[in-house]
Amino acid sequence: MNKQLAEKVLKGDPRSIARLITLSENNQPEAADALKYLHPHTGKAHVIGITGVMGSGKSTLICELTRAFRKQEKTVGIIAIDPTSPFSGGALLGDRVRMMELAMDEGVFIRSMGTRGMLGGLTSAVYDVVEILDASGKDVVLVETVGVGQAEVDVIKIADTTLVIIVPGLGDSIQTLKAGVMEIADIYIVNKADRPGVEQAVAEVESLVDITCSNNERKTPILQTIAKQGKGINELRKEIENHKRHLVKTKELDKQRRLRYEAELIEIIRKRLMNFIFDEQTFKETTEHLLDQMSKKEIDPHSAADEILKKIIK
């Protein structure tokens, strides 16, 4: 059954892709079995992470970028991370009318997912979903993070190319982002470039690039876009493709894929350990007992954690 599901995913069947993603989100054993079959067929898709502050126009830019890739006859998978719960029907946050048009395209698969408490702008199942879309034959996989600010750096663990979107008017807040999300960009995008203050925004990013890229072979490009009008999108697509060629030429792509597998492995182990601790009846009873003791100040949280771990590691 799981092999049959995997074979349908390999043929690009949308219903099978959606079903396997749901099984993966719900940590079902069938998903792991199917993914074992799919893994040898992965590694062909260009995974693009898109991050930036809320309101920077990520969804609109993704929509227009998808159109640009489709004009090149490339198939596209879109993963939109919702900070709360998944939207029904795989609708993206914002610009739903535009996305409905894309959803009618057989060469585009859209999935909205919830973070389910995971920090860093992603969801724990995103690694599986990227592999599923990759194995299904998608040429490009776009991953939109929730837009949580400077802590949103986990996207570099999964993306081959990371886009950081800013908008004019951020002012000094760009400075506050320097130690976080602003340092992970492979391409900077100043979106809504028809707004006042675009020159200042570009100048501030250029200043950052001059500092961080002084010893690098490749200088991080800064592009201006007006996503709602489709301006600058083709230039962005070309720059993304240039970055992919750079990664292949310098063999950095293999290093980044290795980083992704390491992060995925850690996440799988973390999930399985958590399930083992909290799903087993014995440990549930132990946890409840320890919580009662913590409430009565009879034990501290660190000692309680030690007690649980002692029962696992014998």
Side-chain angles (χ1 to χ4, degrees):
M1 180 65 181
N2 299 328
K3 186 176 179 181
Q4 289 177 345
L5 179 60
E7 285 174 346
K8 288 181 180 178
V9 169
L10 288 173
K11 292 177 182 177
D13 177 54
R15 289 190 177 184
S16 300
I17 295 169
R19 185 183 172 196
L20 185 52
I21 289 173
T22 299
L23 289 171
S24 177
E25 280 191 285
N26 294 326
N27 293 320
Q28 296 299 313
E30 300 97 308
D33 291 341
L35 282 159
K36 289 173 187 175
Y37 187 81
L38 291 178
H39 183 72
H41 303 276
T42 63
K44 298 174 184 176
H46 185 184
V47 183
I48 303 166
I50 299 160
T51 187
V53 296
M54 290 182 181
S56 58
K58 293 190 296 295
S59 295
T60 306
L61 188 134
I62 285 172
C63 177
E64 295 305 319
L65 191 55
T66 299
R67 293 182 196 276
F69 280 124
R70 291 297 293 137
K71 285 178 182 177
Q72 301 295 310
E73 297 187 351
K74 291 185 177 180
T75 53
V76 181
I78 301 172
I79 307 168
I81 312 298
D82 176 4
T84 50
S85 62
F87 276 59
S88 60
L92 273 174
L93 301 174
D95 276 302
R96 293 192 194 182
V97 175
R98 291 181 177 226
M99 281 300 165
M100 282 303 293
E101 292 174 17
L102 289 179
M104 300 298 290
D105 186 339
E106 291 183 358
V108 179
F109 183 92
I110 304 169
R111 182 69 175 221
S112 189
M113 303 170 65
T115 55
R116 301 195 178 192
M118 186 175 174
L119 301 177
L122 296 178
T123 172
S124 61
V126 72
Y127 298 100
D128 288 347
V129 182
V130 166
E131 290 228 329
I132 292 165
L133 293 175
D134 186 352
S136 74
K138 297 295 178 284
D139 299 307
V140 176
V141 177
L142 302 173
V143 182
E144 178 192 10
T145 63
V146 297
V148 296
Q150 74 183 79
E152 193 171 336
V153 297
D154 280 358
V155 68
I156 63 168
K157 295 177 181 176
I158 196 164
D160 301 320
T161 301
T162 301
L163 314 182
V164 172
I165 307 174
I166 62 172
V167 289
L170 285 178
D172 290 340
S173 62
I174 289 180
Q175 305 296 325
T176 65
L177 292 174
K178 281 187 179 179
V181 71
M182 288 295 287
E183 294 183 349
I184 68 172
D186 294 308
I187 300 170
Y188 290 107
I189 302 165
V190 181
N191 193 31
K192 304 184 181 181
D194 53 342
R195 286 186 175 184
V198 63
E199 294 86 358
Q200 181 185 350
V202 171
E204 289 190 12
V205 178
E206 283 177 344
S207 173
L208 175 62
V209 168
D210 288 339
I211 296 169
T212 57
C213 298
S214 58
N215 297 319
N216 295 351
E217 179 186 335
R218 175 182 177 270
K219 187 173 181 179
T220 309
I222 306 163
L223 303 181
Q224 296 182 39
T225 61
I226 308 174
K228 275 195 173 182
Q229 299 175 20
K231 292 184 178 179
I233 300 300
N234 272 325
E235 290 78 4
L236 174 58
R237 176 190 59 78
K238 290 174 184 176
E239 200 59 62
I240 289 169
E241 290 169 352
N242 287 340
H243 183 250
K244 173 76 177 290
R245 285 191 286 270
H246 169 76
L247 290 175
V248 173
K249 180 183 175 182
T250 59
K251 298 184 179 179
E252 283 295 317
L253 185 61
D254 292 335
K255 293 179 183 177
Q256 289 190 208
R257 296 279 170 89
R258 187 181 177 89
L259 177 66
R260 183 195 305 172
Y261 291 139
E262 179 185 5
E264 184 176 6
L265 181 61
I266 291 169
E267 183 58 28
I268 290 169
I269 293 170
R270 186 193 69 81
K271 281 199 294 186
R272 290 189 181 181
L273 280 174
M274 293 297 287
N275 289 338
F276 179 72
I277 292 169
F278 295 109
D279 289 349
E280 292 289 330
Q281 187 61 35
T282 307
F283 286 103
K284 257 188 175 178
E285 291 171 2
T286 303
T287 304
E288 290 296 325
H289 174 64
L290 289 170
L291 287 171
D292 289 338
Q293 286 187 302
M294 286 166 63
S295 299
K296 296 174 184 176
K297 310 300 180 187
E298 295 173 358
I299 191 172
D300 67 276
H302 290 278
S303 299
D306 288 339
E307 193 168 321
I308 291 172
L309 290 171
K310 281 176 186 175
K311 294 189 177 186
I312 301 172
I313 306 166
K314 296 181 181 178

